[in-house]
Amino acid sequence: MKAALEKAVDKVTELVNPPIPGAPNSEPPSLEEPTEPRGPLPPKPDQTGPETVTPTGAPTGAPQSAKAQQGEFLTTSAGARLYDTDHSLKAGERGPTLLQDHHLREKVMHFDHERIPERVVHARGYGAHGVFVGYGTAANICKAAFLGDGVETPVFVRFSTVLGSRGSADTVRDTRGFATKFYTQEGNFDLVGNNIPVFFIQDGIKFPDIIHAGKPHPDREIPQAQSAHDTFWDFVSTHTEATHHVMWNMSDRGIPRSYRTMEGFGVHTFRLVNAEGETALAKFHWKPKLGVHSLVWEEAQLINGFDPDFHRRDLADAIESGAFPQWELGVQVFPDTPRQTFEGIDLLDPTKIVPEELAPVQPIGLLTLNRNTTNFFAETEQVAFHLGNLVPGIDVTDDPLFQARLFSYLDTQLTRLAGPNFNQIPINRPHVPVNDMFRDGFHQQAVHAGVAPYRPNTLDGGNPFTAGVEDRPFVEVAQPLPKAVKVRQAPASFADHYTQPRLFWLSLSPVEKEHVVRAFTFELGKCYEQAIKERQLRVLANIDPVLCAEVARGLGLPAPAATVRPRKVAPSPALSQVGQTWPTDGRLIGIVVDPADLDGVRTVREAVLAAGMVPLLIAPTGGPLGDSGLVAQRTFLTARSIEFDALLLAAAPPPGPDAVPARDAKAGAPGTTVDPRVLLMVEECYRHAKAIGAWGTGTAALEATGCAGAPGVVAGDDPTEVLGTVTQLLAAHRVWERFPATIS
């Protein structure tokens, strides 16, 4: 009874004053090194690992902790307890190390092999666990059981960048991977997509070429994790099928604000089958509940230096703080006709989209990420996706990029995960029985019984048996094949490389067009060869004369004339990120405080928490703010504007004791009455079109930076009213009218 009461009190305390995310472990450390033996600490509440199933898919009933390290004492990998791990075994204290030191050999051997080959693409990734709940709305087009009404399916999602290495930064301009593993009751289904609905190439045989072009130059191994270099633009300017993807990448979509505010797309067209055997074609979409938002270019550059782990930290902190990210899974559905086109758009061309105005996205389920990983390597790094992991009701099409990926994803695991048994790694294990008759090989973890791994057999009683129709097996759609000859060519419908990029350009708001022009100008400006810049300008001329002229002007080059007549297209409002409002759940609110003047801070902090956002107090020094009970999570030294979605000024603190350039380069020259690092935060937030609010003495910082009275800058006497207005502004992500735009 007492324990239950204490637990209830702890829960109430947590709800009233929830912890700021980011604590390294489930318990705070002691000042002195612990000496009393105890078992491993439990994971934090937001952490859990893969489900405890056997290598062949049987539930074990074991707790999650059963997979973790056990016991109170340090041991060898075989379980022998060790009395020392800091000194190798030597012939005397100053003598040579002995070969017989088995602990030294085991420890160093394992360390030498801790790393596995990183992915060729999508090496930089971050993952989380969650649950998918079907709406039941897909029943008329797809018989997949996990899409049924109210069916809950565990999932693991891995987000990633394409070009960078594992050690690169998060906020580079690049395509992002959005890969989801559904552990369904009919086997694993992997939806391996991107945050851009189209791809660079139309045929998978070119995939090594585009990746070789986008990766660092082979002679110098630079530049890392970026496309602003000659080989990339040489490729895309000579392979104009890449133009549509390039337009998306050069837009704000190329630098998402967060994984939580990023769309996902299956890219390809899939074939769906319902219970009656009827087929339809479909494209998958992930729609974030928080809306689609991006960083501005300067923010991304600052973040790469200030916090290269910005996106992965944002996702982990949001889950830990209870602001669980959510996406609706939706489908665009098209008739399965022999031509496999819709409104003149070839559905087998992965460089084309179907505008949502022509085929609305129909919601079919909800994804919620609610658990962080316990171990990055065991889960995020070892997860293996494969487009061939399909379930009854979902099948492939003849998209030539799709077809090549069906081979590539399976083949790559043989090297990365050292053999054919990678599906037995816990994060990859299906949650249904597995009886595949595969035997042996590297890292075989199952202990197979029986003597007849073939069928039909009688020695093992006929097991395993093939499934009948009533057992819901996966059956490929019996799609008729055209009478044809073997050729190496593409359909004529694949030849239009400019209409859809023009559609994308015309659908953007003026400020988004400015950002596209700036991105092209920057990226091409980093190229050495003049001919590559001129060739890419020819491509832009075929999209839009204004786009071409503005980029050419920035490069100091003449704008070439178009070589094809642009088609008339209707803009698609769904392609613009500007003009809507979204929930502010999980947004980070920086609050600048002066320990000597905390008027209104507690009230505002509680209101921010009540609104589902995360308040971070910024003060001259960290830790408790006097006897107020408030704690500063950031200091003027450690904080930077890019960390916050909005900034509140409860005060205009005087320069702190470390506000000298020798201690902090951000401090600048002395002589200001307000700490110069606070003024820098305000100036950057203003430049990046973020909402800013101030009350009381905090308005002095607005006056000092000259932004008082500007759009999106809120000043008042009541802190709660100021927060209310700032929250309304934050719902639009940015104060867009603060960005100048010269393009209509």
Side-chain angles (χ1 to χ4, degrees), residues 3 27 35 41 62 126 130 134 139 151 177 182 220 224 269 298 310 449 473 482 547 571 582 601 605 611 715 727:
E27 292 182 13
T35 57
L41 293 179
Y126 200 72
V151 175
F182 298 81
R220 299 187 178 189
Q224 176 63 244
T269 300
E298 187 190 26
F310 185 78
L547 169 62
W582 303 94
V601 173
R605 182 180 182 278
T727 303

Side-chain angles (χ1 to χ4, degrees), residues 657-710:
D658 60 345
V660 291
R663 191 67 51 79
D664 185 353
K666 302 193 304 298
T672 60
T673 58
V674 182
D675 192 297
R677 295 163 298 182
V678 172
L679 300 181
L680 178 62
M681 275 192 284
V682 175
E683 290 167 353
E684 288 179 348
C685 284
Y686 181 81
R687 198 160 60 243
H688 301 156
K690 295 179 179 179
I692 305 170
W695 63 87
T697 59
T699 57
L702 303 181
E703 300 292 341
T705 55
C707 67

Side-chain angles (χ1 to χ4, degrees), residues 45 56 81 140 220 236 306-307 383 427 449 550 589 592 614 656 709:
T56 52
R81 292 182 180 179
N140 62 324
R220 299 187 178 189
V236 300
F306 183 77
D307 184 7
V383 68
I427 191 63
E550 293 297 319
I589 310 298
V592 174
V614 178

Side-chain angles (χ1 to χ4, degrees), residues 700-725:
L702 303 181
E703 300 292 341
T705 55
C707 67
V713 179
V714 184
D717 298 323
D718 187 335
T720 305
E721 291 182 1
V722 170
L723 173 63
T725 305

Side-chain angles (χ1 to χ4, degrees), residues 57 89 138 185 239 260 320 341 390 407 471 502 506 544 576 584 606 656 702 728 735:
L89 192 66
Q185 289 306 300
H239 293 75
R260 299 181 292 129
E320 184 179 359
T341 63
L390 300 164
F407 168 80
D471 302 309
R502 178 168 173 77
L506 294 178
D544 187 86
S576 173
T584 58
E606 291 174 352
L702 303 181
Q728 291 176 2
V735 184

Side-chain angles (χ1 to χ4, degrees), residues 132 135 178 191 194 197 248 253 259-266 283-292 325-332 354-357 359-368 572-576 580 582:
F132 177 83
Y135 290 164
F178 192 135
L191 183 56
N194 289 333
W248 280 73
R253 303 273 189 149
Y259 294 137
R260 299 181 292 129
T261 61
M262 188 177 83
E263 277 185 306
F265 303 90
K283 288 182 174 290
F284 288 106
H285 294 246
W286 289 112
K287 297 285 188 181
K289 285 288 194 176
L290 298 180
V292 184
Q326 291 186 318
W327 292 260
E328 273 195 319
L329 179 62
V331 287
Q332 287 179 297
V354 176
E356 295 181 26
E357 291 74 21
V361 177
Q362 306 171 33
I364 60 174
L366 180 67
L367 166 68
T368 303
S572 170
L575 300 179
S576 173
Q580 300 184 60
W582 303 94

Side-chain angles (χ1 to χ4, degrees), residues 311-332:
H311 280 159
R312 51 176 60 188
R313 190 187 313 280
D314 173 89
L315 180 65
D317 284 355
I319 293 173
E320 184 179 359
S321 63
F324 299 143
Q326 291 186 318
W327 292 260
E328 273 195 319
L329 179 62
V331 287
Q332 287 179 297

